[in-house]
Amino acid sequence: MITKIDMNSPEFLAEFEKTEAFTDKVCEQFGFAYTPLDEVKESIQQGLTRNKLIYGKRYCPCFMVIGSTPEEQANAGNRLCPCTPALTVEIPQTGKCHCTIFCTPEHARELAKEENMEEIAHTHTRGLSKEECDALMKKKQIDGNELEALLEARKHGVVNFNLVDTREWMEWISNRITGTDFLIPTTSFHDALSQLSGKENIPVILYCYSGSRSAYCQRILLQMGYKTVLNLEHGIMAYDGECENGE
């Protein structure tokens, strides 16, 4: 049976205030920072509040609560916030706990930078900075908005990369992303790859129609020792930027 909790009830709101005070205290006690993603923070705090009302303890809402009685729940090793795995393994090793509400200050700053970069790349409110481009180029997959922002930044000399189409020649002349540097078809990939000879240290962004062929070529290039290879997720079919055709 699903336990339904009214988040607008006086009982929930009062307990939510206590949960906020509790998580504030955790941050102060351990020197943590909250995630800069406010929606994530609030969602986890709501989940902690819900579990407190149902079970009497703030079990981590990212995991199921095992056990029908308090004794069974205590013996089942349920994650009680702040949980031992987060304190001893997750935060020391990755900078954040599993549910990401608690971070090291350094990790929180990096997340804030990434969040700002994502907003800029998807809204085009301004051009990407070099630091933001560097952060994007560390990703394995980028979407169409991010590629569009990177191509704009490349025009201004902020970033350098080769954009490679891995489709076939007929697809290339029919429609391709403006700014594509090379056509290296998947079916003749190793032969056509000679076009990148001497350019192995320049980052590569690959695309195809849907993202599957280019993902396959991405794995090959990484195995060959190319250091930075990104794939356009969902390919040209999901790209809304400028395209062109012809030979």
Side-chain angles (χ1 to χ4, degrees):
M1 183 177 68
I2 297 176
T3 303
K4 297 180 179 179
I5 299 290
D6 181 2
M7 292 196 301
N8 294 315
S9 68
E11 181 186 19
F12 184 90
L13 294 175
E15 191 60 49
F16 185 79
E17 286 188 11
K18 294 178 182 178
T19 296
E20 287 184 308
F22 166 77
T23 55
D24 285 347
K25 186 176 179 181
V26 171
C27 286
E28 181 180 355
Q29 179 180 354
F30 295 98
F32 298 153
Y34 282 124
T35 173
L37 308 178
D38 291 335
E39 290 183 359
V40 172
K41 171 190 170 186
E42 184 176 2
S43 175
I44 298 303
Q45 288 174 329
Q46 289 172 345
L48 291 170
T49 302
R50 175 187 178 279
N51 283 344
K52 178 68 173 177
L53 290 173
I54 295 174
Y55 302 108
K57 294 183 181 293
R58 293 188 180 92
Y59 290 119
C60 179
C62 293
F63 296 86
M64 66 176 66
V65 178
I66 300 172
S68 301
T69 66
E71 291 75 17
E72 291 176 349
Q73 292 160 10
N75 294 329
N78 292 303
R79 287 200 180 202
L80 187 62
C81 187
C83 63
T84 299
L87 297 176
T88 60
V89 179
E90 294 166 358
I91 296 177
Q93 291 185 1
T94 68
K96 61 182 178 64
C97 64
H98 180 274
C99 62
T100 73
I101 185 174
F102 300 125
C103 307
T104 62
E106 295 79 12
H107 187 78
R109 285 193 292 269
E110 287 301 314
L111 277 179
K113 289 180 183 177
E114 291 177 9
E115 181 72 4
N116 186 54
M117 173 198 68
E118 292 280 345
E119 181 179 355
I120 292 165
H122 288 84
T123 61
H124 302 286
T125 52
R126 65 166 172 80
L128 294 172
S129 68
K130 184 180 185 307
E131 183 180 32
E132 290 160 349
C133 287
D134 290 344
L136 265 182
M137 295 300 290
K138 291 179 181 177
K139 299 177 68 172
K140 297 300 182 185
Q141 305 275 342
I142 58 173
D143 62 29
N145 283 320
E146 291 168 335
L147 175 57
E148 194 174 355
L150 284 169
L151 284 168
E152 180 185 0
R154 189 175 70 167
K155 282 184 181 178
H156 294 92
V158 181
V159 66
N160 186 30
F161 59 87
N162 285 316
L163 181 59
V164 174
D165 187 342
T166 65
R167 299 174 302 156
E168 299 305 307
W169 182 78
M170 288 302 296
E171 295 174 283
W172 153 277
I173 63 171
S174 175
N175 185 44
R176 64 181 177 273
I177 295 173
T178 300
T180 301
D181 299 293
F182 301 101
L183 171 64
I184 303 180
T186 304
T187 53
S188 55
F189 189 76
H190 288 285
D191 290 335
L193 191 59
S194 60
Q195 297 176 85
L196 292 184
S197 179
K199 302 178 178 66
E200 291 84 0
N201 292 326
I202 299 175
V204 178
I205 300 178
L206 305 171
Y207 74 91
C208 63
Y209 180 71
S210 66
S212 58
R213 283 176 283 178
S214 51
Y216 171 70
C217 295
Q218 179 188 34
R219 291 193 293 272
I220 293 175
L221 287 182
L222 290 171
Q223 290 169 1
M224 292 176 65
Y226 282 74
K227 298 194 180 302
T228 304
V229 186
L230 289 74
N231 182 43
L232 177 60
E233 193 173 23
H234 306 307
I236 194 173
M237 63 180 288
Y239 183 74
D240 295 326
E242 184 180 349
C243 292
E244 59 189 14
N245 56 35
E247 295 187 42

